[in-house]
Amino acid sequence: MEFTKDSVIKAIDMLNTANFEEADNYLDSFQKSNEAWLIAEEILSHRPHHEMHILTFAAISLAKKIKYSFHLLGRSELSSLKYCLVDHLINASMIPDSKPLIVQLGVCLSVLGLMTSEWDHELQSFVQRLSGRAEHVVALLEVLKVLPEETRPSNLPLSGSHLNCVFHELRLQSSYVLNVLEELLERTDLPSCCLSKCLAVCGSWTKFGLVSPDQVLERKLFQRAHVILAASLDEGHSEAADCIVAMLEQSLVSNNLDNRLAQMVVGLQPAFNRSLNNIQLLQNYCYIFVNLFKTHFQLTKRDPTKIQERLTTIELLLLIAEKCPLELVETSLDMWYLLSGDNQVDPNSNSLYKPYFMRLLNLLFPRSRLPASYESILPPEPDSLDIHRFRGVMAELLVDVAHLVDVETMEMLYNIVRNEQSPWEDVEVALFFLRHLMGQFKERQTQMILNILDSVKDRQQAFIRLQVLELISIPETVDITTIWNCLVRELQRDFPMLAAIESRLKLLMPQCDYFIVLATMVDEFCLVESDRCRLLAHVCALIRQLPQSDIYEVKKHMLNIQWKDCPDYVRENRIKVLQAI
């Protein structure tokens, strides 16, 4: 296969056409070829420069060659490649909207330096060369952010011992890097974005273990991050949050959480409350709060002197549950599993954590409520709305914490259900909670369900009826007669939920008489004829799962059903469906 600069550029431009697969295969072969070195360099060196996507592809190709064909280059070739890449980076810094190219050139330089183990003595000369013009500084910061990311074993084809040496060399440079960042923050000729980029570099070096939390705590960078977060400033907020989270994660790795870091995070509650209308800032605070809880809990769960501090971090989780959008609440619920698991390991902690779990359930009850506008609609497809996805997570949590729930709580929920004056949406969410909590009360579960069925039998809302069908589906609770009555009652509704019924007909197995009666009753149900045939077809599919001797008897009865006032053509069509048994 022949590769030229023009043919490669043509293939890149074809990636967004119908010939995508052919172009993709060609470019994949190109990146593995020896010609990739020269052609990528030719593309990057061309003046006037090519379009950004072409330049970026060339840089990506060079990065792959460096990673996987590094051993083919001699020392002089490596040195030449390094200087060319720095020149390309400087040129790219002067091109508008060139961040994708700068990042990929940063990958090239990072991998090249790491593979040759030369960052220890070349980092300073590299920094000095790019510390002049403001545009060069921005590019420098992008490279410094990328560098730690490339130390991951999945990114760097090095042996374990060689990789350890790389880490050691970079850790020796960490103080120098932090000094560079703080010097840049003092410059008045740099754009305002440099603060967020400096924080991003600090966060990256911390996240990958090249800078310790203790180092950052002593720096002005930490103070800058604190000011941004405490004042709810938009610019640099995500980078400041990432930096704090990296410090918390590394505190867990090093088995040491500095109280200054923990107190700073706890002190962000006023900023959190001011940011309730800014989803991005709110997300950042949640990210920080959840990580503080996780780090503190893992480090202190067996330390009785840290209980009060732990309760303070639990308050942060409750703050999220009370005030955040559901998608953010969802991200915090895993932390409650940690507490629940601790309860099971240490039963004495039940009395400590139970009030917090009860507060959580009280907060999530109204937040799990369906919109009032759902009263007259049928349930949508699963996961089609945020509330349904959230409820899937909530269901798991309720089952997990059920052992903490007492009889009084269950009675409170049931009182909502049986009160005829309760709004339908309160009844529905109470049913949802009861269904997932009642497993803790095995000896009373059947009677609970029967009481609930009697209390809501006149409720017409489809979502309440769906909760009823879920209740009778709980294994080894209600008898088959109760199941049958509930299914028939639903089919006799003005707008029966056919899909929900079909998925539960197997609960009648292996009592085949019920299927015969059901087939006899199809004209009593508010269904169009196509849905009646669909119901019959589903019944037939279940009958085919019976023992062969039963199938013959059931089929004989089914084919002899006499539907009253049924037109011949309708009967013939139904018989065709039943013959599939």
Side-chain angles (χ1 to χ4, degrees):
M1 191 176 291
E2 183 180 0
F3 302 106
T4 66
K5 185 184 82 167
D6 291 339
S7 65
V8 169
I9 291 174
K10 182 179 179 181
I12 295 170
D13 287 332
M14 288 171 60
L15 288 176
N16 294 323
T17 69
N19 297 320
F20 166 84
E21 188 172 350
E22 178 184 347
D24 189 54
N25 291 335
Y26 177 84
L27 292 172
D28 184 61
S29 298
F30 161 72
Q31 289 181 325
K32 296 174 182 176
S33 70
N34 288 329
E35 291 92 332
W37 293 106
L38 292 176
I39 292 175
E41 172 63 27
E42 190 178 354
I43 291 174
L44 291 168
S45 301
H46 189 270
R47 297 293 180 273
H49 58 76
H50 291 287
E51 293 180 69
M52 187 53 57
H53 67 287
I54 295 172
L55 293 171
T56 303
F57 178 84
I60 292 172
S61 300
L62 275 182
K64 288 185 175 182
K65 296 302 292 183
I66 293 169
K67 284 184 181 182
Y68 303 112
S69 301
F70 169 82
H71 59 284
L72 299 177
L73 299 178
R75 189 155 191 85
S76 61
E77 291 170 309
L78 289 171
S79 179
S80 175
L81 178 59
K82 179 190 66 178
Y83 285 113
C84 287
L85 287 171
V86 173
D87 286 339
H88 292 320
L89 179 67
I90 290 172
N91 290 327
S93 70
M94 306 306 293
I95 303 174
D97 302 319
S98 59
K99 182 178 177 178
L101 174 59
I102 290 173
V103 169
Q104 291 305 320
L105 289 171
V107 172
C108 292
L109 284 162
S110 298
V111 173
L112 187 59
L114 295 171
M115 296 286 281
T116 57
S117 298
E118 291 181 344
W119 271 120
D120 55 337
H121 63 269
E122 291 199 354
L123 183 59
Q124 295 187 25
S125 61
F126 174 73
V127 169
Q128 289 168 4
R129 187 171 178 192
L130 276 86
S131 294
R133 299 186 57 158
E135 294 87 351
H136 298 173
V137 170
V138 172
L140 167 65
L141 292 172
E142 292 292 351
V143 177
L144 291 178
K145 178 180 179 294
V146 166
L147 178 57
E149 299 170 3
E150 294 305 314
T151 62
R152 288 177 290 190
S154 59
N155 283 350
L156 209 58
L158 294 176
S159 66
S161 58
H162 194 170
L163 196 58
N164 288 336
C165 289
V166 168
F167 268 94
H168 178 69
E169 292 168 358
L170 288 176
R171 287 192 183 107
L172 292 176
Q173 297 293 321
S174 60
S175 293
Y176 170 72
V177 171
L178 293 176
N179 288 338
V180 168
L181 297 178
E182 295 199 332
E183 288 171 6
L184 292 175
L185 291 180
E186 298 301 321
R187 287 176 52 173
T188 58
D189 61 317
L190 299 179
S192 60
C193 69
C194 279
L195 172 56
S196 59
K197 292 187 179 296
C198 285
L199 291 172
V201 173
C202 183
S204 181
W205 281 67
T206 306
K207 177 180 180 179
F208 291 98
L210 303 178
V211 168
S212 71
D214 288 343
Q215 284 179 280
V216 182
L217 280 167
E218 303 299 334
R219 295 286 183 157
K220 293 180 181 178
L221 282 163
F222 177 71
Q223 297 173 16
R224 293 290 189 98
H226 185 191
V227 168
I228 290 172
L229 295 170
S232 304
L233 303 179
D234 285 326
E235 187 165 13
H237 200 277
S238 293
E239 291 79 7
D242 288 341
C243 189
I244 298 303
V245 168
M247 294 173 69
L248 290 168
E249 291 174 343
Q250 286 303 310
S251 296
L252 183 56
V253 171
S254 64
N255 201 34
N256 178 42
L257 175 61
D258 192 294
N259 191 53
R260 290 173 294 173
L261 177 58
Q263 289 302 313
M264 187 277 273
V265 173
V266 172
L268 294 177
Q269 293 178 69
F272 170 95
N273 288 321
R274 287 197 305 272
S275 303
L276 296 179
N277 294 323
N278 188 324
I279 186 63
Q280 182 57 61
L281 300 194
L282 204 58
Q283 182 174 320
N284 293 338
Y285 291 120
C286 291
Y287 187 35
I288 295 171
F289 290 169
V290 166
N291 275 276
L292 174 62
F293 170 82
K294 181 179 179 181
T295 298
H296 189 279
F297 179 80
Q298 296 288 14
L299 293 179
T300 68
K301 58 183 176 182
R302 296 293 170 258
D303 185 349
T305 67
K306 299 293 185 180
I307 288 177
Q308 193 56 49
E309 292 179 7
R310 188 181 314 148
L311 297 182
T312 299
T313 66
I314 295 175
E315 291 289 350
L316 297 179
L317 298 182
L318 289 170
L319 195 62
I320 294 173
E322 178 184 5
K323 297 187 176 182
C324 286
L326 294 184
E327 62 269 23
L328 296 185
V329 176
E330 189 176 327
T331 64
S332 71
L333 293 183
D334 281 349
M335 299 304 103
W336 293 95
Y337 288 117
L338 292 178
L339 283 177
S340 176
D342 192 45
N343 274 348
Q344 296 174 29
V345 173
D346 178 13
N348 293 327
S349 64
N350 275 358
S351 58
L352 177 66
Y353 295 143
K354 183 176 178 178
Y356 293 89
F357 277 104
M358 293 302 100
R359 284 173 60 191
L360 175 67
L361 296 185
N362 286 332
L363 288 171
L364 294 180
F365 183 89
R367 308 218 57 193
S368 302
R369 189 186 290 126
L370 296 175
S373 59
Y374 279 29
E375 180 173 11
S376 59
I377 67 174
L378 292 176
E381 292 297 317
D383 300 328
S384 60
L385 294 169
D386 286 345
I387 183 65
H388 298 301
R389 187 187 66 250
F390 176 72
R391 277 193 171 194
V393 180
M394 269 293 300
E396 296 177 7
L397 178 67
L398 290 172
V399 171
D400 195 67
V401 304
H403 64 283
L404 294 170
V405 175
D406 52 28
V407 174
E408 289 74 19
T409 301
M410 300 297 284
E411 283 293 332
M412 179 192 71
L413 291 168
Y414 178 59
N415 286 338
I416 295 173
V417 171
R418 68 182 178 182
N419 184 354
E420 295 181 0
Q421 302 305 313
S422 295
W424 78 268
E425 57 269 32
D426 283 358
V427 173
E428 194 275 343
V429 74
L431 289 174
F432 174 78
F433 271 62
L434 284 166
R435 178 162 62 90
H436 291 98
L437 294 173
M438 64 173 55
Q440 181 68 11
F441 304 90
K442 289 290 186 184
E443 71 286 351
R444 304 175 57 184
Q445 194 170 15
T446 297
Q447 191 57 51
M448 284 182 186
I449 294 175
L450 293 176
N451 290 343
I452 290 170
L453 296 182
D454 183 62
S455 298
V456 301
K457 62 180 183 296
D458 295 325
R459 293 275 186 173
Q460 301 297 317
Q461 293 81 12
F463 283 94
I464 291 180
R465 288 151 43 199
L466 185 59
Q467 291 294 342
V468 166
L469 295 178
E470 294 283 7
L471 281 169
I472 65 170
S473 302
I474 298 175
E476 301 177 2
T477 51
V478 297
D479 58 37
I480 197 167
T481 301
T482 301
I483 294 172
W484 165 257
N485 290 336
C486 287
L487 295 178
V488 171
R489 186 181 299 116
E490 178 58 34
L491 282 167
Q492 291 173 333
R493 300 276 187 180
D494 290 341
F495 300 98
M497 296 181 291
L498 184 57
I501 291 293
E502 289 174 338
S503 65
R504 289 166 176 81
L505 286 176
K506 61 186 177 184
L507 298 173
L508 300 173
M509 296 282 278
Q511 301 295 324
C512 51
D513 290 349
Y514 286 111
F515 295 130
I516 298 172
V517 176
L518 190 66
T520 305
M521 297 174 64
V522 289
D523 287 321
E524 299 177 25
F525 308 143
C526 294
L527 300 170
V528 296
E529 183 58 29
S530 60
D531 283 341
R532 293 190 180 110
C533 288
R534 170 180 155 183
L535 179 62
L536 291 173
H538 199 85
V539 167
C540 291
L542 290 172
I543 291 173
R544 288 196 294 272
Q545 299 175 28
L546 295 170
Q548 193 62 40
S549 57
D550 291 342
I551 292 176
Y552 175 78
E553 287 298 321
V554 174
K555 183 174 183 179
K556 183 172 69 174
H557 284 291
M558 297 281 265
L559 293 176
N560 285 316
I561 293 175
Q562 299 297 318
W563 291 287
K564 187 178 179 181
D565 299 327
C566 178
D568 290 342
Y569 73 92
V570 172
R571 173 179 168 75
E572 290 173 4
N573 194 43
R574 292 180 185 177
I575 294 297
K576 287 180 183 178
V577 173
L578 297 176
Q579 285 174 336
I581 297 175

